[in-house]
Amino acid sequence: MNLKTSKLIFESESSLLYKGNEDGKDVIIKLLKDASPSADLLLKFHNEYEYTKDLNHDKIRSAIRKEKIDNKYALILEYFDGASVGDTFIKERQPLKQVLKAAVLIAEALGYVHQLKIIHKDITKDNVLINLDKNAINIIDFGLSTKVDIRKVNMGNPDAIDGNLFYVAPEQMGRMNRKVDYRADLYSFGVLFYEMLTGKLPFLGEDSLEIVHKHMTEVPPRPSEIDPSIPEIVSDIVMILLSKNAENRYQSSIGLKKDLEKCY
């Protein structure tokens, strides 16, 4: 293998993302900053590799392999030529038809993930990449993912909740006696869809406790109340996805995708 690193494209608190090239093919190199990462960070690193190394779908970013570069943990990942949903749809609003087209693609990708009995658990504006010109998307960052039969108990501390609090389903908060399954991803997608349509998150707060409380108890304004040009049927889909009880949401990505296609 002839791996070459070209340029830094993203930096987070714990990792660096480089665009690289290997044997003439573009790749992403995800390099952990710390040569001795915490147990939690290392678990997420290995998790992302294990859950994506065997995925074979054009809407999922797969891991090619893991290795060490300069004594630091690195993942070599498939390259996708696109920008985040946040940059594409939220920083600059897009026409409704483009939003619906992207939503159909995301629902299809989630359906594939769920067929493999994987719960992503971190669907956010940063973890879905899109290329509008090519009508293509990529779901990335499976560091928090679990199999559907794995139960993770959270003791209710909002600062200890895995994932981005703005997108996390109520049952992931650890304050309800409910299992976490595929429908948690559908809730997170509902938050993202809301944001793509309106440019706003459904729930904001001064601190973690306030955000958690709103996810658990408040019903946000319908997207059509924020922007009257959004059809009521589209608002209905969003509000179903944002139901507090998983039983009241779509029960699979298949039905969701069909309804989105009808709207489109």
Side-chain angles (χ1 to χ4, degrees):
M1 295 291 181
N2 185 19
L3 180 63
K4 296 178 181 178
T5 301
S6 56
K7 64 175 182 178
L8 179 68
I9 58 174
F10 183 77
E11 180 175 359
S12 71
E13 186 178 338
S14 60
S15 63
L16 301 166
L17 254 61
Y18 293 92
K19 181 181 178 182
N21 190 279
E22 186 169 69
D23 299 333
K25 184 178 179 180
D26 288 334
V27 295
I28 291 292
I29 303 163
K30 186 174 186 177
L31 183 69
L32 297 189
K33 289 180 176 179
D34 194 339
S36 300
S38 67
D40 182 60
L41 190 58
L42 202 53
L43 175 64
K44 292 174 183 175
F45 172 87
H46 291 302
N47 218 33
E48 181 166 8
Y49 175 75
E50 290 300 328
Y51 279 110
T52 66
K53 64 184 174 69
D54 296 322
L55 295 187
N56 183 24
H57 196 279
D58 62 355
K59 295 178 179 61
I60 311 294
R61 185 170 75 185
S62 298
I64 299 170
R65 68 179 183 280
K66 56 184 178 180
E67 61 180 58
K68 281 197 170 182
I69 298 175
D70 296 330
N71 206 34
K72 295 179 179 178
Y73 290 91
L75 278 178
I76 313 303
L77 303 157
E78 290 181 336
Y79 177 75
F80 177 80
D81 183 17
S84 72
V85 163
D87 287 340
T88 306
F89 285 95
I90 299 163
K91 284 187 178 179
E92 185 174 345
R93 300 276 299 282
Q94 298 289 338
L96 176 64
K97 194 162 187 176
Q98 291 279 32
V99 176
L100 289 172
K101 184 189 290 187
V104 170
L105 294 173
I106 297 168
E108 180 185 342
L110 281 177
Y112 174 74
V113 172
H114 295 163
Q115 283 175 12
L116 298 175
K117 301 189 182 302
I118 297 171
I119 314 168
H120 186 280
K121 293 178 70 176
D122 200 20
I123 298 296
T124 72
K125 66 180 181 179
D126 297 316
N127 288 340
V128 181
L129 306 181
I130 192 157
N131 184 318
L132 289 178
D133 293 333
K134 295 181 179 178
N135 196 29
I137 71 149
N138 237 213
I139 293 181
I140 66 170
D141 203 344
F142 284 70
L144 296 178
S145 298
T146 59
K147 285 287 188 180
V148 75
D149 57 348
I150 292 176
R151 303 282 177 261
K152 180 163 183 179
V153 177
N154 182 282
M155 298 311 291
N157 177 3
D159 295 317
I161 295 170
D162 281 337
N164 186 318
L165 270 186
F166 293 110
Y167 299 85
V168 171
E171 62 268 28
Q172 286 179 260
M173 306 291 185
R175 301 185 172 201
M176 304 165 72
N177 186 24
R178 294 181 180 272
K179 67 179 182 180
V180 176
D181 60 23
Y182 314 118
R183 296 169 296 184
D185 283 346
L186 297 183
Y187 181 94
S188 298
F189 173 64
V191 175
L192 179 60
F193 193 20
Y194 190 106
E195 202 176 9
M196 291 165 69
L197 288 163
T198 67
K200 304 174 184 292
L201 284 162
F203 303 112
L204 293 170
E206 295 295 323
D207 54 36
S208 301
L209 280 173
E210 185 179 356
I211 297 168
V212 168
H213 178 75
K214 287 184 176 181
H215 276 293
M216 301 283 292
T217 63
E218 287 194 10
V219 177
R222 291 170 61 86
S224 55
E225 293 175 22
I226 296 172
D227 181 352
S229 71
I230 298 170
E232 290 300 333
I233 187 65
V234 176
S235 279
D236 288 342
I237 291 173
V238 174
M239 300 311 287
I240 291 170
L241 289 166
L242 291 179
S243 296
K244 306 301 180 188
N245 293 321
E247 292 79 5
N248 296 331
R249 294 175 209 146
Y250 283 88
Q251 299 304 291
S252 76
S253 298
I254 297 170
L256 170 61
K257 184 189 172 202
K258 286 181 179 177
D259 281 357
L260 288 169
E261 285 175 331
K262 288 178 186 176
C263 291
Y264 178 73

